[in-house]
Amino acid sequence: MQKRPRINNEINGLELRLLDEEGKNLGVVKTGQAIEMARDRGLDLIEISPNAAPPVARIMDLGKFLYNEKRKEKESAKSGQDFSEMKNVRIHLGTSEHDLEMKAGQASEFLKKGNRVRVELFLKGREKYLEKNFLRGRFDRILNLIAENYKILQDVKTGPRGINIVIEKIK
């Protein structure tokens, strides 16, 4: 959690480098005079850079400032990660060829958007104990139908509801 910047009377420096609402530099001003200027305009005096010499403060609405800071934080978090959402495509042993084509189309769309895709082969009861090569062949049926170029991130993995494989678009 980020702490809130000092505002108005919380600012304890003697002098400040002052910026107005548009970001224009008003020069170095005494703190009391800067607070009066902000009050006259019906706005707040917000300390932007407390470690600078002299500290930098800006005249603007506190709510607007906090909103812009939160938005910048979200943008930097979003751009800082190479984050891709995981999408699921579930098939069964008896899934028809037409349905496999539709599921492969879905998977292609997800890959095109940059998402990772988990293809799950849902197994019930005794199906879980079938031969691994047979089950791998069922995966290959749908993987051959996917239009996008992809790489396998996680090869066949057994889970409680069946087996799955994770694929990602080749960049």
Side-chain angles (χ1 to χ4, degrees):
M1 186 174 146
Q2 185 180 359
K3 68 177 194 168
R4 187 174 68 86
R6 290 187 280 207
I7 59 168
N8 298 328
N9 293 328
E10 297 172 2
I11 300 172
N12 51 14
L14 296 175
E15 292 183 328
L16 302 168
R17 181 165 307 279
L18 188 61
L19 305 174
D20 68 358
E21 305 91 88
E22 289 86 41
K24 273 196 314 194
N25 188 355
L26 300 177
V28 178
V29 180
K30 299 249 184 254
T31 305
Q33 184 183 355
I35 292 170
E36 285 300 315
M37 291 171 71
R39 281 201 182 115
D40 291 344
R41 297 176 186 189
L43 299 170
D44 298 303
L45 182 66
I46 304 168
E47 190 174 41
I48 305 291
S49 180
N51 298 330
V56 179
R58 184 169 185 175
I59 296 173
M60 75 182 298
D61 181 53
L62 179 62
K64 185 176 181 181
F65 174 77
L66 293 175
Y67 171 78
N68 287 336
E69 287 297 306
K70 190 176 271 190
R71 202 176 79 220
K72 284 180 194 173
E73 212 173 272
K74 281 184 181 178
E75 284 298 317
S76 68
K78 214 182 278 184
S79 64
Q81 296 178 342
D82 184 23
F83 181 81
S84 59
E85 195 175 337
M86 180 75 76
K87 299 288 188 174
N88 290 321
V89 174
R90 184 178 281 180
I91 60 173
H92 296 265
L93 279 181
T95 303
S96 70
E97 203 61 37
H98 177 261
D99 290 346
L100 281 178
E101 289 171 8
M102 287 180 54
K103 296 284 187 175
Q106 279 181 337
S108 296
E109 284 299 313
F110 293 149
L111 290 171
K112 196 178 291 182
K113 291 178 184 173
N115 296 317
R116 292 179 177 164
V117 179
R118 177 185 292 124
V119 181
E120 294 180 282
L121 179 58
F122 191 76
L123 301 171
K124 297 183 267 184
R126 292 181 180 172
E127 294 174 348
K128 293 179 184 175
Y129 304 108
L130 291 172
E131 189 178 327
K132 297 291 179 202
N133 291 335
F134 173 75
L135 296 175
R136 179 62 194 217
R138 292 297 168 172
F139 263 127
D140 291 340
R141 285 175 49 206
I142 190 168
L143 294 178
N144 291 334
L145 296 172
I146 295 175
E148 292 292 315
N149 291 331
Y150 64 88
K151 64 181 177 187
I152 296 174
L153 283 181
Q154 178 184 325
D155 206 18
V156 177
K157 182 178 173 191
T158 306
R161 295 199 173 124
I163 57 176
N164 60 58
I165 192 169
V166 178
I167 58 175
E168 177 181 62
K169 183 177 180 177
I170 296 176
K171 295 178 178 152

